[in-house]
Each structure stands twice: as structure tokens, then as C-alpha cells.
Amino acid sequence: MTANWPALDYLDWRETCAALHLFTQIVGKYRLAHTPWLNHSWHATLYVTPRGLTTSLIPDGPGTEIHFDFHDHMLRGTSGDGRTAAFPLGATTVAAFHASFVALVFDIGGTPAFDGAPNEVPFPQPFREDYRDRPYDRGAVERFHGALLDIDRVFKTFRSSFLGKSSPSHLFWGSFDMAVTRFSGRRAPLHPGGVPALPDDVAQEAYDREVSSAGFWPGGNGIDYPAFYAYAYPAPTGFRSAPVRPEAAFWHEELSEFVLPYEAVQAAADPDAALLAFLNATYEAAADLGKWDRALLDCAPGRPGQVRPPSPAEPVAATPADGKIEREDGPEKGRYRLVADGAEAEMTYSRAGTRQIIIDHTEVPAALRGRKVGEQLVRRAVEDARADGVTIVPLCPFAKAQIARHPDWQDVLPPS
């Protein structure tokens, strides 16, 4: 697929954007009303398609699907018994769009019963009563869709490097944002709610687990330009001051989130790489500061047609390997080694001055995996660091994860 990354100017199409936001809310609320509740409101979202946005299959009547077609600028409905209906997207009122949509759902055999008021917008007005004339800029909608295609591709690539619970790449019609969310697997404190025009229990259910979330707004929500965002809930100590990439990313005090302007990605020499850098850096900040078990959760990015190698299983009751840990210490580099059952494990380090070592690699052969050999090597390095009065910088992901799992080892880390 050829990347598009079209230029977007929110101020130039914000009235059309506001109209499209409300149109997606009407369609999204229909899906919400007829789909069993799925964790974190995932049952209510829309998904990017080559032509626009879709609800996917809705369990209503014979089974229905609603599709925004941004090539032909039509709203299309289909059903499991072969019925179809459509009407054009264009300048209109929210009330008129609502009436046309209700008729479309009837025509495909569905039941157009759903909540009639918008969420997460200032001064919400019932759809049936919103007679304000709304413009429809076809070119701007097409550029927005082109951006969604690129964003969805990168979000899905990012999602492939995580083994834990992760959301799809999907569009929330409430706040009109694309999002992809990762979960630590731990419970989170009760969310305070307070989202405008959204029931508190919906927000509390959405954030009942620790998350690192990233997404894209076309504009609005406190900023007058399209932008990517990233946040953590709960935000760990030090999150807002964490270093993130690329250079154009920054902490937005009013939003309490990291923000990366879309323009910085669109203008980059490699837009996909720039966005992936932001997604990875903000996740790493949330996961490392929040002490997520990254050794269990992370993996290499997925590749088309390539099966991910399975992680070696650890015995339920791992038996520590017997063997003496030896240290080979030089003026610039050193290593720890353990030999057991004829196999050798090692952990290497380099010196950064006289008061700091950098653990850069840990290698445990297959014959010794699941026997806490790597943990023993890191433990010995921690004990020696205390005795020698030096600090440890764990660049090796395994050593970093081990130290994160042991709060009593973290006294050897450099002061933050």
C-alpha cells in the first residue's frame, strides 16, 4: 500500500468535522444499543475501511452493518437477508440525517431504537432537535479518510508488538478519536468520571484496568490542529517529565497528555517511523515508570506471513540451577557467568566511569531456561554494586525487567 499522509487543516474544515462527528454518533449509538456490552466500550466503536468507516456486524434483526462511504459520499446499510439501503452524505442538518438514518435502518430490517442525545460534546442537543445547517466539504472528508488509512496501518503495526491485552485500532465516536490501548493486566483505582455528557459509570468501567493509550484527534478537544496523543491511567510518578520521541512531541499541561502534532508526522521524511517512535516512547515511559512486566508483555513487531516464535514455557515450579556464579571484571568491560549441567549462561556489562556499570546483555541457553539463572545473575550484580558503591544502568531488557520486579534491588539504580 502506498502511504498517503495528506495535509490536514482542522480550522479549514472544523464545521464539516463537527457535523461528521455527530453523524458518527448517531450511527455509533445504534450499534451501542444492539450489541452486548464488551469491556471498555469496545462494542460501540467504528473501524477504518478502504472506503470509510464501518460498524461491523450488528446483531439486530437479520444482522446489519452501517458503512460510511467517503469515496462516493454515501451512508450505506446492509443486512443478513440481502437488503440494502443508502442515502447521500452532504450538507444537511443533524435532524435530517437522523431521520434519514432511522428510515435506512427500517429498510434493512433493523430496529432503529437508540439514545437520542450526543455524548462528550459541549451543550449537547437531541439529534431530532438539531436543525442547524451543517456544511459538508467532500475534499476535506476524503483527506481525513486518507489520514485514517495511514494512522490505522501504523496503529496496527504498533499493536503487533504487544502480547498482553490490547484494544483493536478503532474510532470512538464519543470523542471522535482513533485509539489503540495497552493494558498492564492490573486493576486501576476507580476513575473519578466527570467527562462532559458521559455517564460516570461508563468512564469508570473503561478505566478499571491500568492502561497506556494513544490515539489521534482531527482537532478540537482543546487543540485547534490535528494531533496524536498519549496518556497513562493511572499516570505513574514522573510520567509527564519522561523523555519522548520524536522531537516535536511535548507534554500538554491542560490536557495532561503527551501531544504530537499531525503536521510533524505528515512532514517527516518517514512518517510511519515518526509516529511509531511516539507510540513506543510514550508506552515505554508508562510501562517502565509503572513497573509493568514488560518481559512478559512485549514482543517483536509482527511481520506478514511470519509466525511469531513461541516463548519458551517456564515450569510451574522452577528449580534454580545449581552452579557457582563467576565474575570476570576488567577495566572497561566485564561479565558474570554461571555453568550448570554443561551449559553456560552469561550477563555482560561495561563501565561508565568509576561509579557506574551498564548491563547490556543477558544470554541464557535453552537448557537452563525456566531455572531462574538470569535472575541469579542480576541478583549477584546488584549485591556486587552495593559492595563496590556503584550504580547500575540496566540497558538489557531482561535485567531491567528483573530489577523492576524487585523493589528491594532498586537502590542500585542511578538517582532519577
Side-chain angles (χ1 to χ4, degrees):
M1 174 179 176
T2 301
N4 184 15
W5 295 104
L8 299 179
D9 184 346
Y10 172 69
L11 295 180
D12 186 55
W13 81 298
R14 59 182 169 183
E15 291 301 322
T16 294
C17 184
L20 189 61
H21 182 186
L22 292 171
F23 298 164
T24 61
Q25 289 221 9
I26 291 169
V27 172
K29 281 177 171 283
Y30 166 64
R31 183 186 182 201
L32 174 67
H34 296 277
T35 308
W37 197 281
L38 188 61
N39 47 271
H40 318 296
S41 296
W42 293 356
H43 62 300
T45 58
L46 303 178
Y47 310 101
V48 177
T49 76
R51 299 192 68 88
L53 294 167
T54 183
T55 59
S56 74
L57 179 63
I58 299 171
D60 178 36
T64 61
E65 181 179 12
I66 310 299
H67 191 185
F68 285 89
D69 183 337
F70 296 144
H71 285 242
D72 292 339
H73 299 278
M74 301 287 292
L75 190 78
R76 304 186 188 279
T78 58
S79 68
D81 59 8
R83 280 180 276 185
T84 64
F87 64 86
L89 297 170
T92 187
T93 67
V94 172
F97 180 95
H98 179 271
S100 296
F101 178 66
V102 167
L104 179 149
V105 174
F106 269 125
D107 289 345
I108 60 175
T111 307
F114 53 91
D115 181 67
N119 294 118
E120 301 183 64
V121 297
F123 312 112
Q125 186 174 15
F127 301 126
R128 295 177 185 272
E129 301 172 13
D130 189 344
Y131 291 102
R132 175 184 166 190
D133 289 326
R134 309 275 182 164
Y136 187 84
D137 183 334
R138 292 166 67 102
V141 171
E142 290 167 7
R143 289 189 293 274
F144 172 60
H145 175 237
L148 292 184
L149 288 170
D150 289 315
I151 292 163
D152 186 65
R153 180 185 65 253
V154 177
F155 279 11
K156 286 175 177 172
T157 298
F158 171 67
R159 185 174 186 255
S160 73
S161 60
F162 193 72
L163 296 174
K165 174 180 167 182
S166 179
S167 79
S169 172
H170 49 191
L171 185 140
F172 281 99
W173 42 261
S175 48
F176 205 44
D177 62 319
M178 285 286 296
V180 61
T181 303
R182 293 176 169 184
F183 295 78
S184 73
R186 301 188 300 240
R187 294 184 182 275
L190 184 68
H191 192 278
V195 179
L198 184 72
D200 285 349
D201 59 354
V202 175
Q204 289 164 350
E205 190 275 340
Y207 292 103
D208 69 348
R209 298 294 189 274
E210 291 181 347
V211 303
S212 171
S213 189
F216 167 76
W217 288 311
N221 296 290
I223 53 175
D224 289 331
Y225 51 88
F228 299 94
Y229 65 82
Y231 64 88
Y233 182 80
T237 302
F239 181 62
R240 67 175 56 211
S241 58
V244 296
R245 305 181 301 275
E247 186 177 352
F250 64 95
W251 179 260
H252 196 295
E253 288 293 340
E254 288 75 22
L255 298 176
S256 292
E257 298 179 351
F258 286 107
V259 168
L260 173 64
Y262 172 86
E263 184 179 20
V265 172
Q266 188 260 343
D270 187 339
D272 287 36
L275 178 52
L276 276 172
F278 178 71
L279 298 174
N280 284 315
T282 52
Y283 160 69
E284 288 164 5
D288 290 343
L289 293 170
K291 296 180 171 51
W292 290 25
D293 189 350
R294 292 189 60 193
L296 181 67
L297 297 172
D298 294 1
C299 66
R303 296 288 183 265
Q306 296 183 18
V307 178
R308 182 184 64 80
S311 301
E314 291 191 7
V316 174
T319 303
D322 294 326
K324 181 180 179 181
I325 296 177
E326 299 176 355
R327 181 182 184 184
E328 300 172 0
D329 188 36
E332 295 183 0
K333 296 182 178 295
R335 71 168 184 155
Y336 291 90
R337 63 189 292 267
L338 184 151
V339 178
D341 301 332
E344 179 185 88
E346 73 167 358
M347 182 176 70
T348 60
Y349 63 88
S350 58
R351 291 192 175 276
T354 59
R355 293 295 180 185
Q356 191 169 87
I357 66 169
I358 301 172
I359 298 177
D360 48 37
H361 181 68
T362 303
E363 181 71 28
V364 178
L368 297 180
R369 288 176 186 166
R371 300 177 64 184
K372 300 185 180 295
V373 170
E375 181 179 347
Q376 292 179 58
L377 294 172
V378 179
R379 183 187 299 274
R380 172 65 185 274
V382 169
E383 292 170 352
D384 287 352
R386 289 171 178 157
D388 297 343
V390 302
T391 58
I392 293 176
V393 176
L395 287 187
C396 166
F398 176 82
K400 187 174 185 178
Q402 286 294 324
I403 292 174
R405 284 199 195 102
H406 293 80
D408 56 320
W409 293 0
Q410 293 168 24
D411 58 300
V412 301
L413 297 175
S416 56

